[in-house]
Amino acid sequence: MSSELDDLSAFVAVARAGGFREAARVSGFSASGLSEALRRLETRLGTRLLHRSTRSISLTETGARLFERLSPALTEISAALDTVHTQTDQPAGTIRLNVPANVARTVLPGILSPFLLAHPQIRVEVTVEDSFIDILASGADAGIRYEERLEQDMIAVPIGPGTQRVLTAAAPSYLSAKGRPRHPGELLEHSCLRLRFSSGAPAMWEFEKNSEIIRLDPPGPLLVQPGSACDLLVETATAGLGIVCLFEDWLAPHIRSGALEVVLEDWATPFSGPMLYYSGRRQLPPPLRAFIDFIRSRQSPA
């Protein structure tokens, strides 16, 4: 029943917003998750609810009738649940989060401290892991990843910055000695300081400009797994030993101090920030519900 209700809610969100992207922005679900929910619902009902094109969506006659009945019903359900939440004692228990290193370093510190102050009976356990995982199988209540790495059948809520960038930078001494690259392809002639996944495969460097995408596997003297070892990459770069490519938040203090200079900034295209995601197929534990409500309360109005 919970899954069916989630799929119906996804349908109403898309119908109200007039499209998947806008519905994702308003509801906090991912666009891919909404699309999958609509596919399940249409399969279950045996009829098409939306006309889809590359530019727009519109309700079919059946979809319009369903939306007319569902919209007020779901609003009433939401109001009833809100009433229950306000009458429930302060939530207590444990939240288990699985997050990538960059989120643990640059996003969670500004969120967890005020959350824990507001909810002293909740404990948060954080596992830092950059690989793609099944959060339920790992024992986590929720995960944080970027949209392209979200698991299917998950509900997603934006957490932290709405957009982020990965920047490429090097020490002034390195650039003076080796030259400043003007195009990503020139990185193949430079010493690059790299990340690798837990599988051992190096993380590719990706650049985008005017719809042109370039993916590189540049050479370099240092290869480390994500996590605290990223500090080793930064220290090696500031020592003038190569070019580093990391999240802007990680490099920002060193750029501001002048220890590092950004290169190829016109190829650093912003992308969507991280998402907290959790299963839509099981009842939310009260501590996780409190965390989700806290995150949503901090989001800037559209």
Side-chain angles (χ1 to χ4, degrees):
M1 180 64 71
S2 175
S3 175
E4 293 180 1
L5 186 59
D6 288 337
D7 292 349
L8 291 170
S9 297
F11 164 68
V12 170
V14 172
R16 283 176 176 165
F20 289 95
R21 287 185 179 275
E22 179 64 13
R25 186 187 68 80
V26 172
S27 69
F29 294 6
S30 68
S32 60
L34 290 170
S35 179
E36 179 64 20
L38 262 294
R39 185 196 65 77
R40 285 195 303 266
L41 182 59
E42 289 179 330
T43 299
R44 190 181 302 121
L45 297 177
T47 186
R48 184 176 292 276
L49 301 175
L50 297 175
H51 295 299
R52 299 172 176 83
S53 72
T54 56
R55 293 184 178 273
S56 64
I57 64 104
S58 60
L59 292 169
T60 64
E61 183 178 350
T62 301
R65 289 200 302 268
L66 181 61
F67 176 72
E68 185 179 0
R69 298 290 298 274
L70 268 183
S71 184
L74 289 178
T75 299
E76 183 62 26
I77 290 173
S78 179
L81 292 175
D82 287 343
T83 299
V84 172
H85 289 156
T86 59
Q87 295 175 350
T88 302
D89 292 337
Q90 189 169 8
T94 299
I95 306 171
R96 297 172 180 85
L97 300 177
N98 188 293
V99 310
N102 179 68
V103 169
R105 172 74 176 269
T106 65
V107 175
L108 284 185
I111 293 174
L112 285 187
S113 295
F115 173 74
L116 292 173
L117 285 172
H119 297 279
Q121 298 182 59
I122 292 179
R123 172 175 140 179
V124 180
E125 296 180 3
V126 178
T127 298
V128 178
E129 190 170 13
D130 282 87
S131 59
F132 184 81
I133 62 150
D134 181 332
I135 61 167
L136 298 183
S138 74
D141 298 303
I144 300 178
R145 291 296 187 273
Y146 290 85
E147 188 167 4
E148 70 274 10
R149 303 197 73 190
L150 295 183
E151 299 177 56
Q152 291 187 347
D153 300 324
M154 292 288 168
I155 298 173
V157 179
I159 182 171
T163 60
Q164 291 184 288
R165 295 191 303 173
V166 169
L167 293 182
T168 310
S173 61
Y174 176 89
L175 297 175
S176 295
K178 303 294 184 179
R180 181 182 294 270
R182 305 293 179 183
H183 185 276
E186 296 177 18
L187 293 171
L188 297 175
E189 307 300 323
H190 282 267
S191 295
C192 296
L193 311 172
R194 307 277 302 280
L195 292 172
R196 72 175 180 185
F197 298 113
S198 56
S199 65
M204 301 292 284
W205 285 12
E206 185 172 300
F207 301 86
E208 182 177 352
K209 180 180 178 182
N210 299 329
S211 299
E212 180 184 2
I213 299 176
I214 297 175
R215 300 182 78 243
L216 299 174
D217 184 12
L222 182 61
L223 198 64
V224 304
Q225 285 186 216
S228 59
C230 289
D231 289 326
L232 180 58
L233 289 182
V234 175
E235 291 301 320
T236 306
T238 58
L241 296 177
I243 298 177
V244 68
C245 185
L246 286 173
F247 278 92
E248 181 175 11
D249 292 339
W250 211 299
L251 297 177
H254 307 279
I255 295 169
R256 287 195 297 267
S257 71
L260 293 175
E261 294 182 9
V262 178
V263 298
L264 301 171
E265 187 168 9
D266 54 335
W267 286 86
T269 301
F271 52 87
S272 298
M275 311 282 283
L276 176 83
Y277 70 102
Y278 54 94
S279 174
R281 294 184 176 275
R282 65 179 188 178
Q283 186 174 358
L284 285 180
L288 180 57
R289 165 53 62 193
F291 188 56
I292 293 166
D293 290 344
F294 180 82
I295 291 168
R296 285 180 166 152
S297 72
R298 292 165 57 91
Q299 293 172 1
S300 299

